[in-house]
């Protein structure tokens, strides 16, 4: 996976598959510590201790469509290549917390990627999911919470094209305001494509 946003999408989709009702995503850019930290936490079914200990092995997976899983093994490899580490804390019946750390200045650290598009895809596919996204940079903190969005939009579903477009714009503008690392695509039709394809 070439950027962090794709890792976020992969892990969050795993959380939903594991029955999560809430997924919390936190990114911290900490120049003073030369640290880029990604934390994804869910309230899904969690993993058995034996499986959790082996989950970064590419030959270990719960999928029935293929015989190996590459998401977490690739994330671990990307962390280690960038002078960081990957930690997975999972409690059966309670949920899972994935913490990925990279040296912020490391030449091999994957770029952030298109965070607004990733969150938009998660909303489009999982409109009932309680999604919390928090991004902290040296210039401030931004928090996006779907419960607050639902209060604002009333009866409209979260995966309505206009709502998706609004959320994407809102996330993008706030990430720019705090100077967060983020690649965005200014394509107003992308939100509609999430629904129509």
């Amino acid at each position: 996976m070439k950027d962090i946003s794709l890792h976020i999408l992969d892990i969050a989709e795993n959380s939903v598959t594991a029955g999560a009702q809430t997924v919390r995503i936190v990114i911290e850019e900490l120049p003073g510590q030369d640290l880029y930290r990604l934390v994804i936490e869910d309230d899904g079914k969690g993993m058995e201790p034996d499986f959790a200990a082996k989950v970064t092995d590419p030959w270990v997976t719960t999928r029935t469509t293929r015989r190996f899983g590459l998401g977490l093994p690739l994330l671990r490899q990307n962390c280690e290549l960038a002078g960081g580490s990957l930690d997975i804390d999972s409690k059966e019946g309670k949920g899972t917390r994935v913490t990925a750390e990279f040296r912020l200045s490391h030449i091999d650290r994957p770029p952030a990627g298109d965070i607004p598009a990733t969150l938009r895809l998660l909303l489009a596919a999982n409109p009932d999911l309680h999604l919390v996204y928090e991004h902290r940079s040296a210039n401030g903190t931004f928090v996006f919470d779907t419960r607050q969005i639902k209060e604002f939009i009333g009866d409209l579903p979260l995966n309505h094209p206009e709502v998706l477009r609004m959320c994407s714009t809102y996330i993008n503008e706030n990430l720019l305001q705090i100077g967060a690392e983020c690649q965005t695509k200014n394509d107003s039709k992308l939100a509609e494509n999430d629904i129509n394809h």
Side-chain angles (χ1 to χ4, degrees):
M1 295 184 190
K2 64 181 181 178
D3 62 51
I4 289 169
S5 69
L6 295 177
H7 284 297
I8 291 172
L9 185 61
D10 178 69
I11 296 170
E13 286 179 338
N14 287 344
S15 295
V16 172
T17 300
Q21 301 296 309
T22 299
V23 174
R24 183 178 181 86
I25 301 164
V26 179
I27 291 179
E28 295 177 292
E29 299 178 43
L30 305 170
Q33 301 175 44
D34 194 20
L35 180 65
Y36 188 104
R37 179 186 293 129
L38 166 66
V39 179
I40 302 178
E41 190 170 11
D42 69 50
D43 61 355
K45 64 183 180 182
M47 294 179 270
E48 297 176 359
D50 288 347
F51 184 81
K54 299 183 293 185
V55 76
T56 57
D57 182 338
W59 304 109
V60 173
T61 183
T62 59
R63 293 179 186 265
T64 57
T65 54
R66 62 177 189 243
R67 297 196 327 234
F68 52 90
L70 294 177
L72 288 172
L74 282 174
L75 179 57
R76 181 183 68 179
Q77 180 182 31
N78 283 337
C79 290
E80 292 173 353
L81 286 173
S85 62
L86 178 68
D87 180 67
I88 300 168
D89 180 22
S90 188
K91 293 180 174 58
E92 201 170 0
K94 293 188 176 180
T96 300
R97 179 185 175 101
V98 176
T99 303
E101 294 187 344
F102 310 81
R103 269 183 50 211
L104 183 62
S105 64
H106 201 288
I107 193 171
D108 290 325
R109 177 179 62 83
D114 195 339
I115 302 290
T118 295
L119 299 178
R120 185 178 63 237
L121 286 171
L122 285 171
L123 294 178
N126 308 284
D128 296 323
L129 178 68
H130 178 209
L131 179 65
V132 180
Y133 170 67
E134 182 172 349
H135 199 121
R136 302 173 194 155
S137 76
N139 298 320
T141 299
F142 165 63
V143 179
F144 174 86
D145 188 326
T146 55
R147 285 186 178 164
Q148 294 175 347
I149 300 299
K150 285 180 179 179
E151 289 178 8
F152 178 74
I153 63 175
D155 294 333
L156 281 174
L158 272 176
N159 59 359
H160 187 282
E162 289 299 326
V163 174
L164 290 172
R165 189 170 11 260
M166 177 196 73
C167 289
S168 187
T169 301
Y170 174 65
I171 294 166
N172 182 41
E173 289 176 350
N174 279 275
L175 291 180
L176 289 174
Q177 188 172 359
I178 65 168
E181 179 187 326
C182 182
Q183 172 192 352
T184 59
K185 297 172 183 171
N186 296 318
D187 185 349
S188 62
K189 295 192 178 295
L190 282 177
E192 291 181 6
N193 291 339
D194 293 336
I195 298 299
N196 297 328
H197 296 288

